[in-house]
């Protein structure tokens, strides 16, 4: 049995991190399984929902493995490569995070486009206390999400945020009761799935573009969509609905 539970439908893939004996710590094997999920979604783009089993998202990287990793392992970017691949997936990624989301678990959440939290969330990066840095995306993704001042405090002190603090900081977009978390993630996916997939994919791409690429990339992308039959169909449908008494 693998470290992920995967459910696939026509418009989305649900991935549950499932190493309860290790509090869903991210192992080399789990990273390999996440690469396989990415390979599938790069070929057949769908929304991705990532959550943790039980009441923990991911307690971090697997410390038992991490202790014995070498400089060569660090240069291989075992976690950073797969998290970057997740961030670059064509369709949106939703992280439903609850309980502990620490270290590599937090960095996996930072790679998502949308993060929602259960009320029990505790998220942070305690890596410096273990003699390492948060090297799987936190040093550059977290400042972009919460701002450089708070990111520096969190990364340098190892302080964790609870759900209310994460919401106030903009690290998550909503907090829901823990039993409702996965359903809330699917509600967000439902809203995304009702929209035009091409427009959704291109919106994600434009959001990720550097500031210097704007506004040219917006105009070029809009020109492509203005030529899309789906744009004409959806706008015609909208106008017909307005005419209906």
């Amino acid at each position: 049995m693998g470290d992920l539970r995967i459910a696939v439908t026509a418009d989305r893939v649900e991935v549950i991190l499932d190493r309860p004996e290790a509090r869903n710590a991210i192992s080399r094997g789990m990273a390999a399984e996440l690469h396989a999920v990415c390979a599938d979604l790069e070929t057949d783009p769908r929304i991705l929902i990532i959550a943790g089993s039980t009441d923990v998202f991911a307690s971090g990287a697997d410390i038992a493995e991490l202790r014995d990793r070498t400089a060569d392992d660090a240069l291989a970017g075992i976690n950073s490569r797969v998290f970057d691949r997740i961030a670059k997936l064509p369709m949106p990624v939703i992280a439903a995070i609850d309980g502990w989301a620490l270290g590599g678990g937090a960095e996996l959440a930072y790679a998502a486009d949308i993060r929602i939290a259960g009320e029990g969330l505790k998220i942070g990066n305690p890596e410096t206390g273990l003699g390492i840095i948060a090297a799987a995306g936190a040093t550059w993704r977290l400042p972009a999400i919460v701002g450089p001042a708070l990111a520096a405090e969190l990364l340098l002190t190892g302080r964790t945020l609870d759900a209310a603090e994460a919401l106030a900081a903009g690290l998550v977009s909503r907090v829901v009761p823990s039993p409702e978390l996965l359903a809330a993630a699917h509600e967000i996916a439902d809203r995304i799935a009702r929209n035009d997939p091409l427009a959704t994919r291109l919106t994600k791409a434009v959001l990720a573009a550097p500031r210097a690429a704007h506004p040219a990339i917006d105009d070029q992308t809009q020109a492509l969509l203005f030529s899309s039959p789906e744009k004409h169909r959806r706008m015609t449908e909208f106008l017909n609905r307005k005419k209906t008494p």
Side-chain angles (χ1 to χ4, degrees):
M1 181 180 294
D3 293 333
L4 305 178
R5 285 191 277 118
I6 301 172
V8 180
T9 63
D11 59 22
R12 73 197 64 173
V13 174
E14 176 191 285
V15 169
I16 305 296
L17 311 180
D18 193 28
R19 296 186 70 215
E21 75 286 352
R23 298 167 73 186
N24 298 335
I26 299 169
S27 64
R28 187 186 293 262
M30 183 183 285
E33 291 182 55
L34 288 169
H35 272 296
V37 170
C38 289
D40 179 54
L41 292 175
E42 288 160 355
T43 302
D44 184 6
R46 280 160 288 173
I47 301 160
L48 174 61
I49 296 172
I50 304 176
S53 62
T54 64
D55 57 353
V56 174
F57 181 68
S59 59
D62 191 310
I63 302 300
E65 285 189 5
L66 205 58
R67 182 185 58 185
D68 297 327
R69 287 183 185 172
T70 66
D72 287 341
D73 291 320
L75 293 172
I78 294 167
N79 285 354
S80 64
R81 300 294 189 273
V82 72
F83 296 169
D84 201 42
R85 196 171 181 183
I86 288 168
K88 292 176 179 175
L89 286 172
M91 288 290 282
V93 178
I94 303 165
I97 50 178
D98 199 11
W100 293 110
L102 299 177
E107 290 177 298
L108 173 56
Y110 303 156
D113 300 292
I114 298 169
R115 286 167 296 279
I116 62 172
E119 293 172 323
L121 176 66
K122 296 286 186 182
I123 188 167
N125 290 92
E127 281 90 345
T128 55
L130 295 169
I132 59 174
I133 71 167
T139 58
W140 51 281
R141 285 198 179 99
L142 189 58
I145 297 167
V146 303
L150 181 57
E153 180 195 340
L154 297 177
L155 294 173
L156 294 171
T157 67
R159 182 168 75 87
T160 60
L161 300 180
D162 63 22
E165 291 171 317
L167 181 64
L171 183 53
V172 300
S173 59
R174 72 172 75 170
V175 176
V176 301
S178 295
E180 300 172 14
L181 180 59
L182 193 56
H186 278 283
E187 288 175 5
I188 294 171
D190 289 341
R191 291 183 65 90
I192 294 170
R194 288 196 289 269
N195 297 330
D196 174 28
L198 179 60
T200 298
R201 290 175 60 179
L202 292 177
T203 297
K204 175 168 177 172
V206 172
L207 276 168
R211 177 64 185 89
H214 301 279
I217 191 172
D218 304 77
D219 296 339
Q220 293 160 3
T221 302
Q222 194 75 300
L224 176 63
L225 289 168
F226 274 15
S227 302
S228 165
E230 184 66 6
K231 170 252 192 182
H232 188 271
R233 185 193 71 79
R234 284 174 176 264
M235 290 191 176
T236 300
E237 188 176 82
F238 173 81
L239 291 170
N240 288 340
R241 283 199 304 269
K242 286 190 69 175
K243 293 176 184 176
T244 303

